[in-house]
Amino acid sequence: LQSGVDACYNKVLARLTEQYQLAERELCICCLSLLDVPVVHIAHLIGYTRPVIYKTEQKILQKICYS
């Protein structure tokens, strides 16, 4: 899935990994978000609750904005 998203979005996941050292779960959330998967489905797919997904998204944004 990640390689397909990277191919469609100009290697965005590879760049995020390199620049911001995102964890595997964070990359998974980014990947699914780029594909417009609803948060409730992301939570179900990776086994987290919706609040955890929202908090993880906020942490990702903080890493990107404050790096």
Side-chain angles (χ1 to χ4, degrees), residues 12-34:
V12 69
L13 296 176
R15 288 183 285 145
L16 287 172
T17 301
E18 183 179 315
Q19 292 177 350
Y20 305 108
Q21 291 79 40
L22 297 182
E24 190 66 31
R25 293 273 179 165
E26 292 171 328
L27 283 174
C28 188
I29 290 170
C30 287
C31 185
L32 294 170
S33 293
L34 284 169

Side-chain angles (χ1 to χ4, degrees), residues 22 26 29-30 56-65:
L22 297 182
E26 292 171 328
I29 290 170
C30 287
T56 304
E57 288 177 335
Q58 291 300 312
K59 286 180 185 178
I60 293 166
L61 289 174
Q62 286 176 349
K63 283 183 180 183
I64 293 170
C65 292

